[in-house]
C-alpha cells in the first residue's frame, strides 16, 4: 500500500486541505515514486515495515483509545513512508537523515515519535542502537520517553525484551537503549546516536545542542534526526535557522537530498479566520484533534485578544513574538532584500544608538524611496570582545553567527571605539555615494563622537528619548512594518531587536520603546532605527524632493 500516493490524491481532490509546502513536497515524492530517476528509489517493503510494526505492537496509553492498538492517521503513514521508504538503489540505505516536522499541538506527535523510537530501537536492524529524546528540560524530553514506556508495559512482546533501567529503556538481545536528555545536560558529548528526537525545537536555546546531537549520528550507516515543534515565540533561535532552511529546501531554493521538510502551517496568518483552512496546520483535525477545541480557543481570544497570539503560534504555526512585545512576528517579518549600491546619489537619514559594554551599538541609514513608498534600512552593529565573558552560551552563539555574516563587529577590549562608527558613516557617503545630510542620535550619546562626526561634515541632530519625541515615529514605524513598507535587508539582528521591543505607554496613549523583562533581549537596533525615523518625519518633504526620482 502506498500512502504517499493516497495522501497526494486526497489533497488534489480537496478531501484533505494542507499547506502549499506540504502539498509541494509530497507531490514531488509521488512523482519520484511513479517516475524513479537518480540515486534513490522508493522501496515499498522498507516503507511499510515501520507502519506494520507500530500498528502491531504499539498501543495508546491515554484517553478513550487507551490500551487499543494504534491505527496511524494517513498523514502519519505518509510521513513514515517518506522517511523510511526512499533508499539508495545500490546500498539499500535510507535517503533521509534529518527531518523537520512542524505540526500544531494536540496532533498526536508524542505518540508518533514514541512509536518511531520503539521501531528504531528494536526492529531497524541496528545493533547497539542509541535512541535519545532531547528537549529544553528533562521533563519535556521525558514525555516521549514515558509514552514509549507505556507502550512497552501494554504489550507482552515488547515487555519481554525491553526493560526499564534507572535512566533508560534497554534491549538485551541487540544491546540498544532509549534515554531522555535535557539540552543543558553534561552528557551530550560522546554519544553514538542512531535516532535523535528533538522535541519542541522552538524552545532549544543553544545551536550547540543541535550541532552536538547531529555530530553524534556520524558513525551510523543510516541514522535519523527528527525535529518536531510548533512555531514558538523565541526568535533568532535554532528553530528559526532550521525553519528557514527547511522552507528553502521545500521551496526548491536549497538542494539537500537528505533533509525532509514537512511543514504544516497556514499559508497566510489571516487564514485562521476560515475554519476550512484549519487543517493546513492541523493534519489530525477531526480525528485526534477536535474542531471544538480550536473553536473554544478562538472564542476565548475574543474576550482576551492577547490570547490570540498564543493560539496562532500553537494551533496554526504562525511564528510569533513573546507576550507583551510591541509587534507580532508576522508584522515584523520581511524577507525582501536590496543592494545598497543601487542607491547612488540618494539622500538618507542616519540614526545611531550607542551602548555600554553590555548592549549593542548600532548605526542606521534610512533611505526613503518616493517611487515605491518603501523605506530601505541598512545597519551595522558593534560590541566589545570582552563582553563575551559575561554572556550566556546562547548569546555568544548569536553574536558569533552575526559576526560571520558581516553584520556585527567585535571590538578589542571592553569598550567600543566609536571612531568605527565615523568610518562606517563615511563609507556610506564615499563608497556608496549616498548623501547623508542628517544623523539623529540620543542626546546623551558620547559627545566626542558627535564632535568627530561634525568635523567630518555631518549635521548631528540630538534626539530626546521620551514619549513626546518617539511616540509618532514609533507608531509610524509600526504601521510601516505591518504594511511591509520597511525593507531592512532581512537583517536578523534588527529582526531580533524588533521582536524584543516592548512598549511603555503614558496616560494619554503616547508610546516609547522599552526592553522586555528578559535582560538578554536587546533593542538597540530598534532604538537606532527610531532615531532615524524621527529624522525622516521631521525632514520628510525635504528628503522626498531631493531624491533622484524627484529632481528635475
Amino acid at each position: 500500500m502506498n500512502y504517499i500516493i493516497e495522501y497526494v490524491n486526497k489533497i488534489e481532490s480537496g478531501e484533505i486541505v494542507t499547506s502549499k509546502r506540504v502539498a509541494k513536497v509530497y507531490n514531488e515524492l509521488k512523482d519520484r515514486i511513479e517516475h524513479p530517476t537518480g540515486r534513490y528509489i522508493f522501496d515499498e517493503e522498507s516503507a511499510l515495515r515501520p507502519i506494520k510494526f507500530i500498528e502491531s505492537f504499539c498501543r495508546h496509553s491515554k484517553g478513550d483509545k487507551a490500551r487499543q492498538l494504534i491505527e496511524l492517521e494517513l498523514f502519519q503513514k505518509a510521513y513514515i513512508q517518506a522517511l523510511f521508504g526512499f533508499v539508495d538503489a545500490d546500498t539499500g540505505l535510507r535517503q533521509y537523515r534529518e527531518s523537520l516536522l512542524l505540526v500544531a499541538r494536540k496532533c498526536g506527535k508524542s505518540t508518533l515519535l514514541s512509536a518511531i523510537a520503539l521501531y528504531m530501537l528494536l526492529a531497524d536492524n541496528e545493533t547497539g542502537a542509541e535512541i535519545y529524546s532531547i528537549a529544553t528540560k528533562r521533563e519535556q524530553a521525558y514525555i516521549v520517553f514515558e509514552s514509549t514506556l507505556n507502550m512497552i508495559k501494554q504489550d507482552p512482546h515488547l515487555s519481554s525484551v525491553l526493560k526499564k533501567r534507572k535512566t533508560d529503556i534497554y534491549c538485551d538481545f541487540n544491546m540498544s537503549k532509549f534515554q531522555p536528555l535535557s539540552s543543558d545536560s553534561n552528557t551530550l558529548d560522546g554519544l553514538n546516536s542512531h535516532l535523535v528526537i528533538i522535541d519542541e525545537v522552538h524552545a532549544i536555546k543553544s545551536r550547540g545542542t543541535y550541532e552536538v546531537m547531529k555530530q553524534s549520528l556520524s558513525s551510523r550507516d543510516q541514522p535519523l534526526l527528527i525535529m518536531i515543534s510548533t512555531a514558538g515565540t523565541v526568535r533568532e533561535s535554532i528553530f528559526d535557522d532550521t525553519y528557514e532552511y527547511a522552507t528553502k529546501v521545500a521551496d526548491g531554493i536549497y538542494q539537500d537530498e537528505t533533509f525532509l521538510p514537512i511543514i504544516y502551517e497556514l499559508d497566510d496568518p489571516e487564514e485562521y479566520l476560515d475554519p476550512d483552512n484549519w487543517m493546513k496546520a492541523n493534519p489530525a483535525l477531526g480525528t485526534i484533534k477536535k474542531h471544538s477545541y480550536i473553536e473554544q480557543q478562538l472564542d476565548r481570544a475574543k474576550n482576551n485578544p492577547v490570547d490570540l497570539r498564543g493560539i496562532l503560534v500553537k494551533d496554526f504555526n504562525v511564528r510569533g513574538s513573546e507576550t507583551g512585545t510591541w509587534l507580532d512576528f508576522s508584522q515584523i517579518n520581511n524577507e525582501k532584500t536590496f543592494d545598497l549600491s543601487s542607491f547612488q546619489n540618494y539622500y538618507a537619514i542616519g540614526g545611531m544608538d550607542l551602548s555600554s559594554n553590555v548592549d549593542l551599538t548600532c548605526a542606521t541609514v534610512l533611505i526613503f524611496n518616493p517611487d515605491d513608498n518603501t523605506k530601505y534600512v541598512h545597519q551595522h552593529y558593534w560590541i566589545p570582545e570582552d563582553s563575551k565573558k559575561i554572556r550566556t552560551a546562547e548569546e555568544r552563539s548569536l553574536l558569533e553567527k552575526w559576526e560571520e555574516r558581516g553584520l556585527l563587529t567585535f571590538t578589542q577590549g571592553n569598550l567600543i571605539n566609536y571612531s568605527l562608527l565615523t568610518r562606517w558613516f563615511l563609507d556610506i557617503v564615499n563608497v556608496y555615494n549616498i548623501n547623508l545630510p542628517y544623523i539623529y542620535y540620543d542626546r546623551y550619546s558620547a559627545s566626542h563622537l558627535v564632535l568627530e562626526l561634525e568635523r567630518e561634515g555631518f549635521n548631528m541632530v540630538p534626539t530626546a528619548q521620551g514619549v513626546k519625541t518617539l511616540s509618532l515615529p514609533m507608531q509610524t514605524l509600526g504601521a510601516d512594518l505591518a504594511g511591509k513598507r520597511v525593507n531592512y535587508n532581512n537583517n536578523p539582528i534588527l529582526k531580533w531587536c524588533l521582536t524584543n521591543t516592548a512598549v511603555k505607554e503614558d496616560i494619554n496613549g503616547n508610546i516609547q520603546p522599552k526592553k522586555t523583562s528578559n535582560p538578554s533581549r536587546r533593542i538597540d537596533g530598534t532604538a537606532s532605527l527610531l532615531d532615524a525615523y524621527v529624522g525622516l518625519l521631521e525632514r520628510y518633504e525635504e528628503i522626498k524632493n531631493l531624491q533622484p526620482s524627484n529632481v528635475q
Side-chain angles (χ1 to χ4, degrees):
M1 183 65 185
N2 196 303
Y3 296 109
I4 293 174
I5 292 177
E6 182 183 351
Y7 195 48
V8 172
N9 289 342
K10 289 190 175 183
I11 292 171
E12 291 177 343
S13 71
E15 182 178 345
I16 290 176
V17 179
T18 192
S19 69
K20 292 178 181 177
R21 287 186 170 120
V22 167
K24 182 176 184 295
V25 168
Y26 278 114
N27 264 299
E28 290 171 354
L29 294 178
K30 177 188 175 186
D31 185 64
R32 289 176 53 204
I33 292 168
E34 296 177 335
H35 307 95
T37 58
R39 174 181 175 184
Y40 297 104
I41 61 171
F42 183 76
D43 178 37
E44 191 163 302
E45 184 179 347
S46 298
L48 284 172
R49 195 164 185 266
I51 294 173
K52 290 177 179 177
F53 174 90
I54 291 168
E55 296 191 329
S56 298
F57 299 105
C58 300
R59 297 175 184 270
H60 294 283
S61 58
K62 295 180 180 179
D64 55 6
K65 291 187 178 180
R67 301 190 182 282
Q68 296 179 27
L69 283 171
I70 292 172
E71 293 183 16
L72 292 165
E73 299 285 319
L74 179 57
F75 83 94
Q76 295 173 324
K77 291 178 180 179
Y79 179 64
I80 291 171
Q81 285 202 323
L83 275 180
F84 291 90
F86 288 91
V87 299
D88 189 297
D90 295 326
T91 65
L93 297 177
R94 283 192 292 270
Q95 172 181 352
Y96 292 112
R97 306 300 175 90
E98 189 172 352
S99 177
L100 174 66
L101 177 59
L102 187 67
V103 62
R105 61 181 166 186
K106 296 186 179 294
C107 283
K109 70 178 180 67
S110 296
T111 300
L112 176 63
L113 293 175
S114 300
I116 291 175
L118 266 177
Y119 172 76
M120 294 193 69
L121 183 69
L122 280 177
D124 201 37
N125 298 321
E126 184 75 14
T127 301
E130 294 180 18
I131 314 296
Y132 296 103
S133 173
I134 309 293
T136 303
K137 296 182 179 179
R138 192 174 184 275
E139 292 78 8
Q140 179 68 33
Y142 203 84
I143 291 174
V144 173
F145 180 81
E146 184 178 39
S147 176
T148 305
L149 190 60
N150 287 335
M151 289 179 183
I152 295 168
K153 290 177 180 177
Q154 295 181 88
D155 187 271
H157 301 286
L158 298 179
S159 59
S160 67
V161 294
L162 293 169
K163 303 300 178 186
K164 169 71 170 66
R165 301 192 299 191
K166 184 176 181 180
T167 61
D168 64 17
I169 295 168
Y170 184 72
C171 177
D172 188 58
F173 80 80
N174 68 359
M175 297 170 287
S176 298
K177 69 175 184 177
F178 177 25
Q179 184 175 0
L181 295 171
S182 62
S183 61
D184 58 356
S185 171
N186 294 323
T187 61
L188 295 186
D189 288 313
L191 304 179
N192 184 15
S193 309
H194 180 53
L195 169 66
V196 173
I197 296 166
I198 302 182
D199 194 9
E200 298 296 0
V201 69
H202 70 84
I204 301 291
K205 295 180 179 179
S206 172
R207 184 176 182 85
T209 299
Y210 165 79
E211 297 291 355
V212 167
M213 296 314 299
K214 187 172 182 178
Q215 182 62 33
S216 76
L217 302 164
S218 60
S219 64
R220 300 283 181 172
D221 287 334
Q222 49 179 7
L224 187 56
L225 170 64
I226 300 177
M227 295 168 285
I228 192 164
S229 191
T230 54
T233 59
V234 179
R235 302 279 62 90
E236 273 303 287
S237 61
I238 179 59
F239 171 82
D240 274 358
D241 289 344
T242 304
Y243 173 83
E244 289 177 13
Y245 185 82
T247 57
K248 285 180 170 60
V249 173
D251 294 342
I253 298 171
Y254 292 166
Q255 299 299 315
D256 187 340
E257 292 183 323
T258 64
F259 191 101
L260 178 65
I262 303 296
I263 304 171
Y264 289 101
E265 62 182 353
L266 297 183
D267 296 312
D268 184 287
E270 295 301 311
E271 288 182 339
Y272 83 92
L273 295 167
D274 183 356
D276 289 342
N277 290 316
W278 292 354
M279 189 181 279
K280 288 186 176 184
N282 296 272
L285 193 63
T287 52
I288 299 173
K289 186 170 183 176
K290 300 184 185 304
H291 283 85
S292 58
Y293 173 82
I294 298 181
E295 290 168 355
Q296 290 166 5
Q297 296 296 306
L298 292 175
D299 283 342
R300 187 182 69 182
K302 292 177 182 177
N303 300 320
N304 187 9
V306 174
D307 291 340
L308 182 59
R309 279 192 181 186
I311 295 167
L312 290 175
V313 169
K314 295 294 185 181
D315 290 299
F316 297 107
N317 281 332
V318 176
R319 285 191 290 174
S321 49
E322 295 182 81
T323 301
T325 53
W326 171 37
L327 299 172
D328 194 54
F329 186 74
S330 62
Q331 297 171 297
I332 293 166
N333 192 39
N334 187 346
E335 298 180 7
K336 291 182 179 179
T337 59
F338 65 90
D339 183 355
L340 189 62
S341 63
S342 64
F343 288 96
Q344 290 189 42
N345 300 318
Y346 272 76
Y347 283 75
I349 297 289
M352 63 181 193
D353 182 73
L354 307 187
S355 69
S356 64
N357 63 342
V358 176
D359 292 335
L360 297 164
T361 286
C362 176
T364 297
V365 168
L366 175 62
I367 304 167
F368 169 57
N369 187 351
D371 291 340
D372 60 10
N373 198 30
T374 299
K375 289 81 176 177
Y376 294 87
V377 177
H378 178 64
Q379 290 188 330
H380 194 79
Y381 293 78
W382 294 263
I383 196 164
E385 179 78 30
D386 287 358
S387 71
K388 284 185 179 182
K389 301 173 185 176
I390 61 172
R391 297 185 182 277
T392 65
E394 175 194 4
E395 289 180 287
R396 288 196 299 273
S397 176
L398 274 179
L399 294 171
E400 288 167 358
K401 180 178 71 172
W402 294 333
E403 181 195 30
E404 288 175 4
R405 291 186 54 181
L407 304 171
L408 176 145
T409 300
F410 284 108
T411 63
Q412 293 182 350
N414 62 354
L415 294 173
I416 297 290
N417 176 3
Y418 288 131
S419 292
L420 294 174
L421 276 76
T422 301
R423 295 176 206 164
W424 187 82
F425 280 121
L426 285 171
D427 282 346
I428 297 298
V429 174
N430 298 325
V431 176
Y432 292 96
N433 295 318
I434 294 173
N435 300 292
L436 196 59
Y438 306 102
I439 298 176
Y440 282 67
Y441 67 97
D442 180 351
R443 62 186 179 186
Y444 294 108
S445 292
S447 57
H448 69 275
L449 172 59
V450 174
L451 291 174
E452 184 177 290
L453 285 165
E454 286 179 336
R455 284 196 296 270
E456 294 292 346
F458 293 106
N459 187 2
M460 304 299 295
V461 184
T463 307
Q465 299 298 296
V467 293
K468 183 177 180 180
T469 304
L470 297 180
S471 184
L472 180 58
M474 192 171 184
Q475 292 175 45
T476 305
L477 172 59
D480 282 346
L481 286 165
K484 308 305 176 188
R485 293 184 293 273
V486 182
N487 184 336
Y488 50 85
N489 232 356
N490 203 21
N491 187 317
I493 314 183
L494 177 56
K495 191 180 296 189
W496 181 71
C497 288
L498 289 167
T499 62
N500 297 334
T501 303
V503 172
K504 180 180 179 181
E505 185 174 345
D506 68 10
I507 58 173
N508 297 314
N510 297 311
I511 60 173
Q512 68 181 90
K514 71 172 185 178
K515 295 179 180 179
T516 63
S517 57
N518 189 331
S520 67
R521 304 293 179 191
R522 315 296 175 188
I523 67 168
D524 310 281
T526 306
S528 179
L529 177 55
L530 268 178
D531 284 341
Y533 248 77
V534 172
L536 179 66
L537 294 186
E538 287 185 0
R539 313 281 178 175
Y540 181 85
E541 290 299 329
E542 176 186 347
I543 298 297
K544 178 181 177 181
N545 292 329
L546 289 171
Q547 298 300 29
S549 57
N550 281 6
V551 175
Q552 302 300 320

